[in-house]
Amino acid sequence: MPLLEVEDLGVEFRRRGLEPFRAVDGVSFDVDPGQTVGLVGESGCGKSVTSLAIMRLLMPRGNRVTGRVSFDGTDLLRLPIRDMRDRRGRDLAMIFQDPLSSLNPVISIGLQVTEVLQRHRGMKQSAARAEARDLLDQVGIPDPDRRLKEYPHQLSGGMRQRALIAMAVACRPRLLIADEPTTALDVTIQAQILQLLGTLVRENGTALIMITHDLGVVAGLCDEVNVLYGGRIVERANRHELFATPQHPYTHGLLASIPRLDAPAGERLHPVQGSVSDNIPWTSACAFAPRCGNEVDRCRSASPELTAAPLGHGHQLRCFNPVLPDGAGVGATGGSAPVDSAGEAL
Amino acid sequence: MVGLTKKKERIDQLAASSATAVVDPTDVESSGGSILADAWRRLRVSPVFWIGAVIISVFVLIAIFADVIAPHDPGELLLRSQTRLARNQLAPPQPGFPLGGDQLGRDLFSRLVIGSRQTLLVGVFATLIGFTGGLILGTLAGAFGGKVDTVVMRLVDVLLSIPSLLLAISIAALFANPSQTSVIIAVSVVQIPVFARLLRGQMLAQRESDHVLAARALGVKRAPIVFRHMLPNSLSPVIVQATLVVAISIIDAAALSFLGLGSQSVKVPEWGQMLGEAQQKIDSYPHLAFWPAGCIIVVALGFTLLGESLREALDPKNRR
């Protein structure tokens, strides 16, 4: 049985005098214990909003969250907020993008870690202190006794993210949501942080939702990948299939946009044309149609459903005219290359 | 060959010496510690801060040791024999009476020295009361938001829409027996909305901040979120404001006393009251107004300079 079942999750932002904006629209996915699921997409596709909705961290005013988020059998969206608060940090925790701004600048690292331990594990100050020391040690912060007394601005970027991870895993949560945890870090630190997350997940059997726009991260860490576009899942596959046979034109474009070291010098980059602002509503069309190279007439008149993809096993797709490996010079080799390069980087 | 190794040795030595030179002991000291240590590092080199600090220290020391410094009892009419108002004659400065006597023949210098106490008292207490009131209202509005915020802030808007001195005068006039206490209350009530508004704005910004979101994601309860994560991060502009409010309170209190809404006691001198009494004879004896007014201005200036330098030191834009 999956640990987390997200069913038909929708988030609407109400806007004064305008139609409400659907940031997340009918998103469904499951996460098994010990599994790492990726949510991938560009800025504004709804990946962070999805995670905040699962944690119920969206401000109550002006938002409407619909659907079901079932965690171990309980619907989190219908839980009294007091109970939800007890679960946050204990059963499910979250790691954020910018480690500096996610730490309280005026209190010491030690106090921030012990705060969680005292809150959820009912530890006394001295016991929490010792445990915090062990946690910092576990996440690979050297000289933890000294770091406990220090303030966030005295730590390096990598250490700050490690401290945040220590706080998130302090109570051994069963589900961890990482919202672009490596975006603010440089490449070598990124690799270390991803490795640390991978180790924690393996050792504790924690389920991990990895939110990212970096396909290298996906290649290195995720078991299953959901590609989001305009608030809907447009393609879902396991990692190997997604990189070997990307079939949605958007996924395909994302993979093609990664610059390759073996490309001839002077070759132009291949961006996905246009921007999110070109989107058209999903209601009676495909939101990606204006930016799509594979557009057919139907794309503007009907909304595609998430159905089984023509290729692959358990591979799902929301597209009328998918990109197929044998068609129009689009080779499966082109798509699979990033797996190797990104995999090596880790 | 030998020359080359020698040269290499020299370079190594040079590298070693420059490496030690980089580690400046003051740098090591300042890198340890918090935001306060950081602010102090910048304050230490600010001339504005030192001028303000010296003025305030001198003023506070005078107020504390006023009894020792003042040569005479400020209420006794010691120089009455030399004072002839009908002939426009006041006691001139003389040994033991550096500034001479006032219109009743009391020692002007002693009155100024003892009067510093009242000024300090008003400045500090009015600020403390205003700060506390603003802290409570601002925290309520900023922490709860929604309806609480609306009610509190409309109240604050109403108070802010009345000119502050006018409001202080109206409040002081409510008291049947004007006294130093009524002055403090009148002056502090006027400052409450200023503090409340400032703090509320900071709290609202903190509420949306990443670290508060991160704390909420860890299940931290509401009270610690407000008091440990939001409030301490919202205080620095409020503290700066408090220093400036000391100066404003001193001036406002002097204005109330000048208008006769302050202490009516003849025994306890107060600068604003002295200024009010001097007003009637300002043509003949401008120095009677000059001294208390000068004291008020210098002390207010001291607190303003301190506040401005604090503001600069705590401004995150100046960090690093």
Side-chain angles (χ1 to χ4, degrees):
Chain A
M1 192 190 135
L3 176 68
L4 182 83
E5 291 170 84
V6 177
E7 269 174 57
D8 198 26
L9 183 71
V11 180
E12 266 184 11
F13 296 142
R14 264 169 281 173
R15 299 176 294 181
R16 196 167 291 171
L18 287 167
E19 283 282 288
F21 175 74
R22 289 194 77 88
V24 177
D25 197 354
V27 165
S28 305
F29 61 92
D30 294 348
V31 187
D32 292 327
Q35 193 189 26
T36 300
V37 171
L39 292 182
V40 189
E42 62 194 359
S43 305
C45 73
K47 48 192 196 307
S48 293
V49 177
T50 305
S51 63
L52 292 175
I54 294 171
M55 295 290 288
R56 286 184 63 186
L57 286 172
L58 290 168
M59 286 286 164
R61 262 204 297 181
N63 301 318
R64 208 164 67 95
V65 182
T66 52
R68 244 168 61 86
V69 175
S70 162
F71 180 88
D72 203 14
T74 12
D75 187 354
L76 295 183
L77 297 184
R78 272 149 204 87
L79 217 56
I81 192 67
R82 198 176 285 271
D83 298 352
M84 187 63 210
R85 225 174 269 149
D86 288 341
R87 282 174 176 259
R88 284 188 205 138
R90 192 187 69 197
D91 291 341
L92 53 168
M94 193 159 171
I95 302 164
F96 293 91
Q97 184 171 350
D98 182 356
L100 179 57
S101 63
S102 298
L103 287 163
N104 184 341
V106 301
I107 59 180
S108 66
I109 299 292
L111 192 58
Q112 298 187 53
V113 182
T114 51
E115 180 177 42
V116 190
L117 293 166
Q118 289 175 313
R119 161 79 170 96
H120 290 298
R121 287 165 66 174
M123 286 178 148
K124 291 273 182 301
Q125 179 67 41
S126 54
R129 198 91 192 157
E131 178 72 21
R133 201 201 151 280
D134 289 347
L135 277 166
L136 291 195
D137 201 31
Q138 255 175 53
V139 296
I141 293 182
D143 199 358
D145 286 314
R146 189 178 124 212
R147 298 301 175 195
L148 280 178
K149 292 192 208 94
E150 292 194 330
Y151 292 85
H153 72 277
Q154 292 168 286
L155 268 56
S156 69
M159 265 197 270
R160 286 176 200 144
Q161 191 59 289
R162 284 173 196 270
L164 277 168
I165 292 176
M167 285 148 77
V169 300
C171 305
R172 304 269 145 127
R174 286 188 285 168
L175 175 73
L176 197 57
I177 302 177
D179 187 354
E180 307 203 25
T182 57
T183 310
L185 306 173
D186 66 54
V187 187
T188 38
I189 309 295
Q190 275 189 16
Q192 292 171 10
I193 293 292
L194 291 177
Q195 207 167 25
L196 171 66
L197 280 175
T199 316
L200 289 171
V201 168
R202 250 195 325 279
E203 282 177 0
N204 303 336
T206 313
L208 177 65
I209 299 180
M210 189 75 188
I211 293 167
T212 181
H213 57 244
D214 185 344
L215 290 163
V217 171
V218 174
L221 208 61
C222 299
D223 302 312
E224 201 186 63
V225 189
N226 297 290
V227 181
L228 259 77
Y229 188 84
R232 290 197 186 187
I233 292 177
V234 292
E235 184 160 13
R236 182 207 318 275
N238 69 43
R239 158 173 55 154
H240 300 290
E241 290 219 355
L242 189 85
F243 285 99
T245 55
Q247 291 166 50
H248 196 281
Y250 178 60
T251 320
H252 198 268
L254 284 181
L255 288 171
S257 69
I258 300 173
R260 296 176 51 155
L261 276 178
D262 57 354
E267 200 198 41
R268 291 182 153 266
L269 298 172
H270 305 285
V272 179
Q273 296 299 326
S275 72
V276 205
S277 57
D278 298 328
N279 283 5
I280 50 178
W282 279 106
T283 38
S284 63
C286 171
F288 187 60
R291 303 172 63 187
C292 183
N294 264 24
E295 190 191 350
V296 290
D297 288 347
R298 251 179 105 195
C299 298
R300 298 271 187 170
S301 57
S303 187
E305 293 295 318
L306 193 65
T307 51
L311 291 178
H313 187 71
H315 196 139
Q316 284 182 304
L317 199 60
R318 188 190 292 277
C319 187
F320 291 128
N321 188 22
V323 182
L324 296 176
D326 47 326
V330 183
T333 44
S336 65
V339 180
D340 300 326
S341 55
E344 272 163 27
L346 300 172
Chain B
M1 221 25 208
V2 179
L4 200 71
T5 34
K6 259 199 171 161
K7 206 170 172 184
K8 237 186 119 186
E9 264 175 22
R10 262 226 332 260
I11 293 171
D12 283 349
Q13 268 175 5
L14 210 75
S17 66
S18 67
T20 48
V22 168
V23 185
D24 190 307
T26 54
D27 268 8
V28 174
E29 180 199 11
S30 60
S31 75
S34 63
I35 287 169
L36 286 180
D38 199 35
W40 171 236
R41 204 182 61 221
R42 263 175 283 127
L43 273 185
R44 222 168 32 179
V45 295
S46 156
V48 174
F49 166 73
W50 285 112
I51 297 172
V54 166
I55 292 176
I56 294 167
S57 314
V58 169
F59 164 64
V60 170
L61 284 177
I62 290 176
I64 292 173
F65 297 109
D67 284 336
V68 187
I69 297 167
H72 308 287
D73 185 327
E76 259 187 85
L77 313 176
L78 293 168
L79 300 169
R80 194 163 187 189
S81 54
Q82 298 178 36
T83 311
R84 293 202 171 59
L85 286 180
R87 271 193 262 153
N88 258 357
Q89 201 175 18
L90 287 191
Q94 52 200 284
F97 302 89
L99 299 177
D102 72 353
Q103 56 273 66
L104 294 180
R106 298 171 295 195
D107 178 28
L108 185 56
F109 180 70
S110 297
R111 285 178 67 76
L112 282 176
V113 169
I114 302 284
S116 66
R117 283 188 167 167
Q118 299 306 314
T119 306
L120 182 70
L121 216 64
V122 174
V124 169
F125 276 97
T127 306
L128 276 182
I129 296 170
F131 184 87
T132 313
L135 197 71
I136 294 168
L137 287 183
T139 308
L140 272 178
F144 288 99
K147 282 192 186 111
V148 181
D149 184 32
T150 311
V151 170
V152 171
M153 289 328 283
R154 286 305 81 75
L155 190 77
V156 164
D157 282 344
V158 169
L159 284 177
L160 279 178
S161 67
I162 307 168
S164 62
L165 192 57
L166 208 58
L167 182 61
I169 291 170
S170 333
I171 296 168
L174 291 177
F175 290 86
N177 300 310
S179 64
Q180 202 61 8
T181 320
S182 67
V183 170
I184 291 176
I185 292 171
V187 170
S188 60
V189 167
V190 174
Q191 296 303 332
I192 289 176
V194 179
F195 281 115
R197 164 150 294 224
L198 190 64
L199 185 63
R200 177 248 187 192
Q202 292 291 319
M203 293 280 279
L204 286 187
Q206 284 297 319
R207 217 153 75 118
E208 307 284 326
S209 73
D210 284 352
H211 72 262
V212 168
L213 183 69
R216 289 206 298 141
L218 288 168
V220 180
K221 286 184 182 171
R222 261 170 99 151
I225 292 248
V226 171
F227 293 111
R228 189 178 286 169
H229 295 277
M230 282 162 64
L231 197 56
N233 281 297
S234 313
L235 278 183
S236 60
V238 184
I239 290 168
V240 170
Q241 181 67 26
T243 351
L244 298 174
V245 162
V246 177
I248 298 171
S249 305
I250 287 172
I251 293 174
D252 282 1
L256 290 183
S257 303
F258 175 84
L259 294 171
L261 291 163
S263 166
Q264 304 296 311
S265 165
V266 196
K267 283 268 168 203
V268 189
E270 203 274 337
W271 293 347
Q273 183 194 18
M274 289 164 72
L275 196 57
E277 289 165 3
Q279 180 211 201
Q280 297 150 10
K281 301 270 177 192
I282 196 153
D283 298 341
S284 322
Y285 325 116
H287 75 282
L288 286 186
F290 173 81
W291 289 108
C295 288
I296 294 168
I297 290 169
V298 170
V299 168
L301 179 73
F303 280 104
T304 311
L305 290 180
L306 185 76
E308 286 297 336
S309 60
L310 266 183
R311 184 210 296 281
E312 218 147 272
L314 288 169
D315 189 343
K317 271 181 248 148
N318 294 339
R319 208 161 277 161
R320 234 172 277 267

